[in-house]
Amino acid sequence: VKPVTGKGHVGTVMAQATDWHLGEVVKPDEVLYLNAFNEAIAGIRVRQWFEKVVTLPRAYVNGVYLEGLVIPATGDLFTGEIHAELTENNYERVLQTVLNAQEPILAGLQMLEREYDGKVEVDAVVGNHGRMALKSVFKGRVYDNFEWLFWSVIRDRLADRGSKVAGNVSTSMDMNVEVYGRNHLLTHGDQFKGGTGISGAY
């Protein structure tokens, strides 16, 4: 989006949505009570993420006209069932999570649409936890992933509601997104190996 003249400084908010791992359970007694995760906590985190995308720019960005919001959705929205322990311990099966996550996320995106005057874009790539195969594949990788299905359905349901939210779902493991003439390569990063084991973050 080209800056609007006559409004001084302008900017676009970018708020990454990644590694929510909906469906997973972390029991406090198994991690020395240092952490916990379950369906209730997942719901709180999702709601707080959407709220903060509204309140943080309001509170900390002064003197800048915010002309839109870009949401890079970079994978592992669902924790999936790629390990036996996840199948046994998740708070629900992955298809239930795919179904149950739709309304909260639709509601959140429509709230953001109102806040950002309809100028909201979701750019989605898949992670590794949403895959249906036990091992990661490269050919047809996207179509083997629940996240591709989820974001495609979200895009279409928003369109059915007359929403102006733009939903872009990559058919590759990566995606190029241009903001103000600068390219951003979106990727979950699990295909990177070596280093500390989390080289995708680097």
Side-chain angles (χ1 to χ4, degrees):
V1 178
K2 293 182 179 179
V4 179
T5 58
K7 292 190 177 179
H9 296 291
V10 298
T12 292
V13 176
M14 294 188 75
Q16 187 178 22
T18 189
D19 290 275
W20 289 4
H21 285 271
L22 304 178
E24 189 163 358
V25 171
V26 176
K27 298 178 180 178
D29 61 315
E30 293 181 346
V31 290
L32 298 176
Y33 294 91
L34 296 174
N35 196 8
F37 194 68
N38 53 42
E39 186 173 9
I41 294 172
I44 292 169
R45 287 187 181 179
V46 169
R47 185 175 68 250
Q48 287 185 342
W49 185 89
F50 281 106
E51 290 175 353
K52 292 297 183 183
V53 175
V54 173
T55 59
L56 285 177
R58 280 182 182 174
Y60 296 106
V61 181
N62 295 318
V64 178
Y65 171 71
L66 299 178
E67 45 184 13
L69 166 67
V70 176
I71 301 173
T74 52
D76 284 1
L77 188 71
F78 311 113
T79 206
E81 297 174 359
I82 60 174
H83 306 301
E85 64 177 339
L86 294 175
T87 304
E88 295 170 5
N89 295 307
N90 286 352
Y91 59 74
E92 59 189 1
R93 299 300 298 269
V94 64
L95 283 176
Q96 291 176 286
T97 312
V98 170
L99 183 65
N100 293 334
Q102 287 185 36
E103 284 302 326
I105 290 178
L106 283 166
L109 289 173
Q110 290 188 290
M111 176 189 71
L112 295 177
E113 179 182 16
R114 292 189 296 272
E115 179 69 18
Y116 288 91
D117 297 324
K119 298 174 182 176
V120 177
E121 176 179 304
V122 180
D123 299 305
V125 296
V126 302
N128 61 310
H129 268 259
R131 69 180 187 264
M132 292 185 286
L134 290 178
K135 292 185 177 181
S136 294
V137 297
F138 287 89
K139 291 186 177 180
R141 174 188 177 106
V142 169
Y143 306 115
D144 187 61
N145 197 296
F146 290 110
E147 289 183 284
W148 170 80
L149 173 67
F150 179 83
W151 286 116
S152 297
V153 170
I154 292 295
R155 176 197 61 207
D156 295 346
R157 289 191 65 189
L158 285 168
D160 289 342
R161 296 181 180 192
S163 171
K164 295 180 181 178
V165 174
N168 303 310
V169 186
S170 181
T171 56
S172 166
M173 67 178 69
D174 306 317
M175 185 182 217
N176 289 308
V177 176
E178 187 177 315
V179 181
Y180 293 133
R182 181 180 292 271
N183 183 64
H184 298 261
L185 177 65
L186 307 189
T187 186
H188 184 66
D190 59 289
Q191 71 269 33
F192 296 103
K193 304 296 180 183
T196 61
I198 57 166
S199 51
Y202 293 106

